[in-house]
Amino acid sequence: MDQSAEVVFAQRLASNEKTIRDRALKKLRKYLSARGSESAFSRDDLRKLWKGLHYSMWMQDKPLLQEELSARICGLLKVFSDGQSALNFAAAFFATQASEWNRLDQWRMDKYMMLTRDFLRATFEVVKSRSWEGSLVSSLAQLVDEEVLDAAREENPDGLRLHLADIWLEELARVGAGELKENQILTLLKPYVNYIAKSKRDIISDRIRKSIFDTILEGPAAVDVEAEDAEGAEETEDDQPTLQYNLRAIAEALFEQGKQDSVCPRIRRKLYSLVKRFKAAAPPESPKKAEKRKLAEENTPIVKKLKTKKTTADTGKKNTKTVKVSKNL
């Protein structure tokens, strides 16, 4: 039976012989460049290729050679002329890591953590090279949400989720600091907002809150665009660009998730605690904007329900008091 090109590549990339693996990786780069300009790869084709690339790293010993291989694998992203095709390739990478992560032993974990960091950075650079186009930023957030962070997929490895959360802001700042707009950063934070709202695994959610949201609030990159003085402080040559967060917009995103009926009360309380912290750290709003936001929040189903319960309870207390007075008379 004839084998597809992807299967042949996968077999050679996972060979015991380094020379065969190196030759296969070199030919794969040319293959991706040629075919990528003609037609899109199917998800299944990309998964087959990534299976071979995954085990190519598995077979590679010695730290320096592992770093070299990681760079060559990440460089494959650059051969795609279309940004979405490159992100499809990235989606296959994250899907492969999610399926293989729990099979890693202690001797191989470090090199795959390195590969994941390098590949995440390379993926950010792909989107950066296309001026952080909105559709690509959204696609990147979606693929990470679906392939790794999706709380409904219990089979996904927690280790990969935690590692990704630990390096997310660091690599994003390295690539996009000084360029990314606040709404683009918010889009790239949404997968983590979704996870902590939907997951009931506190140990993972708490770590994500610490790695992502506590870092934003407490870290040196926590600079809010609305809080910057109009005149600004004088910059020095030592100043480095940082990610510019809109703290109030992040609070609103957390609040929107927290008010969903599907969110259990325990998780909602944690989300609202985060909301309070972000609002406290955000600069003051104009009176008009604050009033508009307050009206919007009061009209949410959760707030209405709480108000209704409180009103009913107060009315009951008043009626009870009236009855007691009547008996005394």
Side-chain angles (χ1 to χ4, degrees):
M1 184 176 63
D2 293 336
Q3 292 181 321
S4 67
E6 287 75 25
V7 172
V8 174
F9 271 118
Q11 291 173 343
R12 294 178 179 174
L13 287 165
S15 171
N16 291 327
E17 298 293 332
K18 186 178 185 304
T19 54
I20 296 176
R21 298 197 304 269
D22 288 346
R23 193 180 304 121
L25 185 55
K26 186 176 180 180
K27 290 183 177 180
L28 177 60
R29 185 181 181 90
K30 294 179 181 179
Y31 177 71
L32 292 175
S33 180
R35 186 179 165 184
S37 61
E38 297 173 0
S39 60
F41 286 90
S42 69
R43 178 183 174 88
D44 187 52
D45 286 343
L46 293 175
R47 288 294 298 271
K48 290 174 183 176
L49 292 174
W50 267 110
K51 193 82 167 182
L53 289 166
H54 177 84
Y55 282 99
S56 180
M57 178 60 80
W58 181 285
M59 300 300 296
Q60 184 61 66
D61 296 324
K62 300 181 180 179
L64 291 178
L65 293 178
Q66 291 165 3
E67 291 177 13
E68 179 186 351
L69 178 58
S70 178
R72 293 180 66 192
I73 290 175
C74 294
L76 295 175
L77 279 167
K78 297 179 181 179
V79 307
F80 293 94
S81 58
D82 176 62
Q84 188 57 56
S85 295
L87 290 185
N88 291 341
F89 188 67
F93 164 78
F94 286 110
T96 301
Q97 297 313 304
S99 65
E100 300 291 337
W101 195 268
N102 286 335
R103 296 188 179 94
L104 300 178
D105 55 47
Q106 60 177 325
W107 311 111
R108 293 182 171 89
M109 182 60 73
D110 285 349
K111 62 182 176 182
Y112 281 101
M113 292 177 71
M114 173 192 67
L115 175 61
T116 301
R117 177 185 286 274
D118 290 348
F119 199 86
L120 176 63
R121 185 187 314 139
T123 305
F124 285 148
E125 288 172 347
V126 164
V127 184
K128 175 183 179 178
S129 67
R130 290 160 176 82
S131 304
W132 300 102
E133 183 182 329
S135 62
L136 294 181
V137 172
S138 297
S139 292
L140 174 53
Q142 182 179 353
L143 75 86
V144 171
D145 195 1
E146 293 178 351
E147 303 298 348
V148 180
L149 292 175
D150 186 0
R153 298 174 65 175
E154 297 182 358
E155 70 277 10
N156 278 9
D158 290 334
L160 181 58
R161 286 169 172 158
L162 294 176
H163 180 53
L164 206 60
D166 287 344
I167 65 176
W168 188 262
L169 291 180
E170 182 180 340
E171 294 305 324
L172 186 60
R174 179 178 294 185
V175 177
E179 296 182 9
L180 278 166
K181 298 178 181 178
E182 58 184 45
N183 62 314
Q184 295 169 327
I185 296 175
L186 182 60
T187 297
L188 293 170
L189 291 176
K190 287 290 181 66
Y192 295 97
V193 175
N194 293 340
Y195 183 84
I196 63 176
K198 297 177 181 178
S199 175
K200 296 181 180 180
R201 304 196 59 195
D202 288 348
I203 190 171
I204 308 301
S205 296
D206 290 346
R207 173 77 166 272
I208 287 177
R209 274 193 289 271
K210 180 179 180 180
S211 297
I212 299 294
F213 300 102
D214 285 356
T215 297
I216 292 173
L217 287 168
E218 301 169 5
V223 180
D224 193 296
V225 290
E226 295 180 1
E228 293 180 342
D229 193 307
E231 297 179 358
E234 293 185 2
E235 294 186 355
T236 67
E237 293 181 356
D238 295 331
D239 288 338
Q240 297 295 325
T242 58
L243 292 176
Q244 305 291 294
Y245 301 109
N246 186 327
L247 301 182
R248 193 167 296 280
I250 296 174
E252 290 174 359
L254 290 164
F255 180 79
E256 286 298 314
Q257 278 293 341
K259 74 179 184 181
Q260 301 299 319
D261 292 336
S262 58
V263 177
C264 72
R266 176 176 57 82
I267 295 176
R268 182 178 292 116
R269 286 193 295 271
K270 290 187 176 183
L271 283 169
Y272 284 178
S273 176
L274 266 180
V275 170
K276 290 180 180 178
R277 291 176 62 198
F278 271 92
K279 286 184 176 179
E285 290 181 299
S286 64
K288 184 176 181 180
K289 188 175 181 180
E291 183 63 23
K292 184 178 180 180
R293 177 185 53 76
K294 184 178 179 180
L295 289 173
E297 291 180 358
E298 288 179 346
N299 287 326
T300 60
I302 293 295
V303 175
K304 281 185 175 181
K305 189 174 181 180
L306 291 174
K307 282 188 172 183
T308 302
K309 286 183 178 180
K310 184 176 180 181
T311 303
T312 303
D314 291 343
T315 303
K317 289 180 181 179
K318 289 180 180 179
N319 290 339
T320 301
K321 186 174 181 181
T322 302
V323 171
K324 288 182 179 180
V325 173
S326 300
K327 284 184 178 180
N328 291 334
L329 290 174

